[in-house]
Amino acid sequence: MTRMTPRWRGLGATGAMVLSLSSSWMRVPAQRPAPAAPPRASPHAGHADPTSAIAAVIRALATTHVDAHDAPLVATITRVYADRQYQPAWTDADGYTPGGESVRRAMREADDEGLDTAAYRVPAIGSDDADAQARADVRLSFVALRFAQDLGWGVTLPDDVHRDHAYPRRHFDGDSLLRAWMQASEAGRDAGRTLLDVTPASMGYRRLRDASRQLRALWPQGSWESLSDGPPLRPGTSGPRVGQLRRLLRERGDLAGAPAAGSGDPGFDTTLAAAVARFQERHGLVADSVVGRATAAALNVPAAARLAQLHLGMERARWLPPVTRGRSITVNLADYHAFVSDDGVTVFRTRVIIGTKIHKTPMFVDTLTNIVFNPAWNVPPSIAAKEILPQLRHDPAYLTRNHMVRTPGGIQQLPGPWNALGQIAFMFPNRFNVYMHDTPARELFEAPDRAHSHGCIRVQRPRELAALLLADEGWSPARLDSAIAAGNRSVAWLRRPVPVHITYVTAFVDDDGVLQFRRDVYGRDALLQRVMRQAERRPLPAALQ
């Protein structure tokens, strides 16, 4: 299996966070600078010379066609082994060294990191032949580089998965990493622990990893009981399915304690009703304690599928920039919420409305630079053509009634409480022209499904968000209210711009430690899972097999 689109991870940064899907996989020849040729073994050299054997493996690897994902790794291995005069790093006459064994052990922990351990399995050395040992030495370096890249940077690139993204591409310095592992091994330190230092440090990733470990420990076979078909269950009902519901909620952790001995079937009592509401809340459903179609469907999602959601969340966390101190804004589109964090601690939370399935809100990283009060809305040409101009043909007063005017650039809606952007807009210039803003359509925030916009992010509590962001800029609540009341457009620039992460995570652990799941409203999980499975099945280069 070959990779999807070329993955030159080490060739600088771009400004994109949403991916373009390529429908074909193609094998391309490795494109890398030609290193100095490894010394050819003397025709009289015996197999006991490990450097000659490793040089031969490197020579064969350098002439093997690999895909663009593996080409930088081959180049790294060629350079590093050349610099060390083709001395083995992980093997000796007895097999793997302690350093080599520690790296193998570290990669056996891949399952704990949401990765497929089988993709990084390095077999024991089955022969004391120098050629076999040399191949094992180079193979361990290659697989360790793959593992580090997948663990710290992602099995996939956003570009392999989505069109609508703009994540910055982070440089992968394989040379420095491989040298550090080898140096740790030669110094008697735990090279495997050094390898695992690339693990993402974000709070979100760590929480997902811990939840994944717990889920795998509780349901190692990836299965749990499902609710039988039947009519809706609600407080006051009884019967076998109510007892089954009780078992399911206890199994999922939403109903505490074990049934009391000899207590009989209490039916759908208040305790069970509270447990159902808790389950509904942490699955993004209306918490009405009624087990209808949506709640039953959520109960019947297999444990293996829930575990996969956690792993997909971990993969998306690998795409994000490294954790930095200070303030940041995160929007989880799948959760319909936005958060403000200070040094990783959530200090503000609000509901949001996101784009419809037709007008999906993209995923990207950018920087909030200014807040606009009483913004004017320049109607996008596509909306004008599809929605406003047809209305005008039937209703000549449509523009006047909706506070719109024609401008040289098209149609503009004047500032005011009627404006589609509301009275506050949070601006972070990006190629998608997507922002966070107020809205006059307040009733939509009460719906559990809040995918209703043309792509921008509508904020339920815009004034509170603006007050929080501008407090450090010297703005008082009275000054903020005055800027809004003035009615004319004005701009407040932030002296300290705030990073903005627009993400899409259907499984996460909240600040109270509660594991939450959400529906894959855009179908992005299903797409990412397919691409990850293909990526994890990529074979080793022929020279290392």
Side-chain angles (χ1 to χ4, degrees):
M1 178 69 67
T2 54
R3 297 285 303 175
M4 192 174 260
T5 48
R7 295 179 40 147
W8 292 101
R9 302 203 199 214
L11 301 185
T14 65
M17 172 181 180
V18 195
L19 320 165
S20 62
L21 175 63
S22 171
S23 60
S24 64
W25 293 70
M26 64 180 182
R27 197 167 186 79
V28 296
Q31 299 180 15
R32 52 187 179 278
R40 299 192 65 84
S42 165
H44 303 291
H47 285 296
D49 180 5
T51 60
S52 295
I54 286 178
V57 173
I58 298 292
R59 189 162 54 247
L61 182 61
T63 58
T64 299
H65 282 196
V66 295
D67 66 20
H69 167 267
D70 287 336
L73 309 187
V74 171
T76 283
I77 286 175
T78 303
R79 287 189 294 267
V80 171
Y81 275 93
D83 288 349
R84 54 186 292 119
Q85 300 298 307
Y86 304 98
Q87 292 292 329
W90 313 112
T91 60
D92 56 24
D94 297 322
Y96 288 111
T97 64
E101 289 293 355
S102 74
V103 169
R104 293 179 70 209
R105 283 195 303 272
M107 292 190 293
R108 287 198 289 268
E109 298 180 18
D111 283 348
D112 284 345
E113 304 297 339
L115 303 174
D116 182 2
T117 298
Y120 316 102
R121 188 171 292 129
V122 178
I125 302 175
S127 171
D128 61 359
D129 180 83
D131 292 337
Q133 290 183 336
R135 190 163 52 252
D137 201 284
V138 177
R139 180 171 56 214
L140 182 58
S141 291
F142 183 86
V143 175
L145 283 169
R146 265 193 182 175
F147 174 72
Q149 191 176 64
D150 292 351
L151 174 60
W153 283 255
V155 178
T156 62
L157 286 176
D159 301 36
D160 295 339
V161 190
H162 307 291
R163 290 187 178 89
D164 49 349
H165 91 285
Y167 286 107
R169 184 170 299 188
R170 296 185 292 122
H171 176 63
F172 178 74
D173 188 354
D175 289 44
S176 296
L177 291 173
L178 184 56
R179 294 180 202 278
W181 306 333
M182 291 177 173
Q183 290 167 5
S185 175
E186 291 163 354
R189 301 194 304 273
D190 191 337
R193 289 295 107 190
T194 305
L195 168 59
L196 294 173
D197 284 345
V198 301
T199 305
S202 68
M203 179 69 72
Y205 182 91
R206 295 200 303 270
R207 288 174 175 176
L208 286 170
R209 180 179 58 195
D210 293 344
S212 170
R213 290 173 177 173
Q214 294 172 11
L215 201 61
R216 288 173 54 231
L218 290 172
W219 294 281
Q221 305 305 316
S223 62
W224 51 32
E225 187 179 356
S226 297
L227 183 66
S228 302
D229 291 338
L233 299 174
R234 51 176 42 88
T237 58
S238 60
R241 290 179 67 244
V242 173
Q244 185 185 41
L245 174 64
R246 190 177 293 275
R247 290 196 305 275
L248 264 60
L249 292 174
R250 187 171 283 116
E251 185 181 45
R252 271 89 164 151
D254 296 288
L255 181 59
S263 60
D265 180 8
F268 203 132
D269 58 7
T270 56
T271 301
L272 184 57
V276 171
R278 173 183 167 85
F279 176 88
Q280 291 169 326
E281 286 176 351
R282 68 184 191 88
H283 287 77
L285 304 170
V286 176
D288 59 4
S289 296
V290 177
V291 182
R293 182 178 301 175
T295 302
L299 278 164
N300 289 343
V301 172
R306 292 303 189 197
L307 183 62
Q309 284 183 257
L310 293 168
H311 293 170
L312 296 174
M314 294 166 72
E315 174 71 358
R316 290 193 176 99
R318 297 181 188 108
W319 295 345
L320 294 173
V323 175
T324 58
R325 296 185 62 83
R327 172 164 290 174
S328 63
I329 297 173
T330 299
V331 179
N332 183 359
L333 302 174
D335 182 39
Y336 304 120
H337 275 88
F339 309 83
V340 178
S341 299
D342 286 341
D343 294 333
V345 178
T346 301
V347 297
F348 178 80
R349 183 172 186 264
T350 182
R351 293 182 178 185
V352 298
I353 292 168
I354 67 172
T356 64
K357 294 179 182 179
I358 297 176
H359 303 99
K360 296 181 179 69
T361 301
M363 302 177 295
F364 60 97
V365 172
D366 221 294
T367 304
L368 175 66
T369 58
N370 65 92
I371 300 173
V372 179
F373 297 106
N374 301 303
W377 180 41
N378 295 310
V379 181
S382 60
I383 296 177
K386 295 177 182 179
E387 301 179 24
I388 295 179
L389 296 181
Q391 292 277 3
L392 269 176
R393 285 193 286 268
H394 300 289
D395 180 6
Y398 179 86
L399 293 183
T400 301
R401 192 170 62 256
N402 287 278
H403 308 277
M404 294 179 174
V405 295
R406 291 186 181 273
T407 67
I411 296 175
Q412 183 184 86
Q413 189 174 39
L414 301 174
W418 52 76
N419 192 280
L421 304 182
Q423 295 176 288
I424 306 176
F426 303 87
M427 309 301 290
F428 32 96
N430 59 85
R431 66 184 178 89
F432 304 105
N433 204 28
V434 164
Y435 306 99
M436 298 169 62
H437 61 79
D438 184 15
T439 176
R442 313 297 301 173
E443 67 282 356
L444 294 176
F445 287 110
E446 302 306 317
D449 179 357
R450 296 194 289 276
H452 299 290
S453 80
H454 283 88
C456 280
I457 301 163
R458 305 175 192 171
V459 181
Q460 184 181 31
R461 300 168 59 199
R463 186 195 174 281
E464 293 92 329
L465 177 57
L468 174 65
L469 296 174
L470 290 174
D472 292 343
E473 305 289 336
W475 281 61
S476 66
R479 182 182 175 186
L480 191 153
D481 291 340
S482 176
I484 296 173
N488 57 292
R489 183 181 184 276
S490 61
V491 181
W493 290 90
L494 301 182
R495 288 173 296 179
R496 297 179 181 175
V498 180
V500 178
H501 299 159
I502 312 297
T503 65
Y504 184 91
V505 184
T506 62
F508 57 94
V509 178
D510 66 19
D511 290 336
D512 295 323
V514 177
L515 179 58
Q516 304 272 341
F517 292 104
R518 295 295 182 266
R519 190 167 59 89
D520 185 13
V521 61
Y522 285 166
R524 286 174 174 163
D525 272 8
L527 182 58
L528 176 57
Q529 189 168 31
R530 287 197 300 272
V531 177
M532 282 189 70
R533 284 175 177 169
Q534 291 173 316
E536 288 175 331
R537 293 170 183 166
R538 60 192 185 270
L540 286 174
L544 301 180
Q545 293 179 7

